[in-house]
Amino acid sequence: MISFEIGGGRIALYGDPAAPLWFLQMVDDHDAGLMESEAEEIAGLAGGTGWCLAAVPVKDWNRDLTPWPAPPVFGKEPFGDGAGETLRFLEEVLIPEVETRFPAEGRRFCACGYSLAGLFALWAVHESGAFAGCAAVSPSVWYPGWLEHAAAKGCRAQQVYLSLGDKEEKTRNPVMRTVGDAIREQYRLLQEAGVSCALEWNPGNHFKDSDKRTARGIAWLAGRCGF
């Protein structure tokens, strides 16, 4: 693992920085602690060369990954509208820095993430043409207004991987309970739009094996976006 500092944060890299395929994953402290095992899992599934996984730290999880304000679902902390700023950082700061530091001809980037970071990855590929693919693992597609937005905007990436735990929709929380139907609808929208996509169901709830689940999504992308 190597790292470099940019924009007040340190980006940790796993794999080959000179590779033509990069996966940008937004992470909190918990995710960051699992990146080593996630990278090992990716190598086991997709091989150890041809890709680089970048762990991009998120300062304010509930604000920096959400596109518009929404009321709290757990606790008292509401959601914000910082996703646009985060996307601008990726497009205007991080990606140009990567191309300067580790030049490679025809490089492709994919947006990846778990939970709210999975929602951000989906939102990013609906907003921007900077990404060839997306791995949205247990994404927060229950987010108020998301499906309407996705239907109106359309996806700009060619490859999208979705997954969800088979117990995630079996909860007492009335908002979270919609996640199963929401991800089925997300999958349908992508299929109707002609996007190459997959929807995988994993055993367990939202908190089980996030590193292994994310690795499977990234390996799926590597097999379709790689060279």
Side-chain angles (χ1 to χ4, degrees):
M1 188 271 286
I2 65 172
S3 64
F4 64 92
E5 190 165 343
I6 184 172
R10 182 158 291 275
I11 312 297
L13 306 180
Y14 303 84
D16 179 11
L21 182 60
W22 273 55
F23 303 105
L24 306 183
Q25 182 176 341
M26 313 307 294
V27 301
D28 61 7
D29 290 341
H30 172 75
D31 295 327
L34 296 173
M35 296 305 291
E36 195 77 49
S37 63
E38 182 179 315
E40 291 175 1
E41 192 79 12
I42 296 168
L45 294 169
T49 60
W51 55 269
C52 182
L53 173 63
V56 185
V58 175
K59 294 178 181 178
D60 187 335
W61 191 255
N62 276 22
R63 176 191 176 276
D64 294 347
L65 298 176
T66 47
W68 49 79
V73 173
F74 296 108
K76 298 181 179 180
E77 185 179 358
F79 300 98
D81 58 354
E85 183 179 338
T86 302
L87 179 58
R88 282 191 294 275
F89 168 74
L90 296 182
E91 290 181 312
E92 300 175 11
V93 180
L94 180 57
I95 289 176
E97 182 69 15
V98 168
E99 298 287 35
T100 299
R101 283 178 180 260
F102 313 106
E105 185 177 352
R107 174 172 282 131
R108 298 173 185 173
F109 293 89
C110 294
C112 308
Y114 196 91
S115 193
L116 270 181
L119 175 72
F120 171 80
L122 271 176
W123 177 82
V125 298
H126 283 72
E127 297 294 316
S128 170
F131 307 101
C134 166
V137 185
S138 285
S140 303
V141 286
W142 49 260
Y143 199 78
W146 165 249
L147 287 174
E148 294 82 359
H149 182 80
K153 291 286 290 190
C155 181
R156 299 176 65 181
Q158 296 83 41
Q159 308 286 340
V160 175
Y161 173 93
L162 304 170
S163 74
L164 199 69
D166 58 12
K167 294 183 179 179
E168 292 195 49
E169 61 186 330
K170 299 173 183 177
T171 176
R172 294 180 181 179
N173 186 291
V175 176
M176 295 295 296
R177 210 166 39 230
T178 67
V179 70
D181 288 340
I183 205 162
R184 294 180 186 96
E185 176 65 10
Q186 176 69 81
Y187 182 54
R188 185 189 68 80
L189 289 172
L190 292 168
Q191 286 184 308
E192 287 190 351
V195 176
S196 174
C197 55
L199 172 56
E200 181 176 6
W201 293 88
N202 299 300
N205 62 22
H206 186 71
F207 302 99
K208 184 178 181 182
D209 297 333
S210 62
D211 53 342
K212 293 180 180 178
R213 291 181 183 182
T214 307
R216 283 201 294 274
I218 288 175
W220 185 92
L221 284 178
R224 288 156 179 80
C225 298
F227 291 81

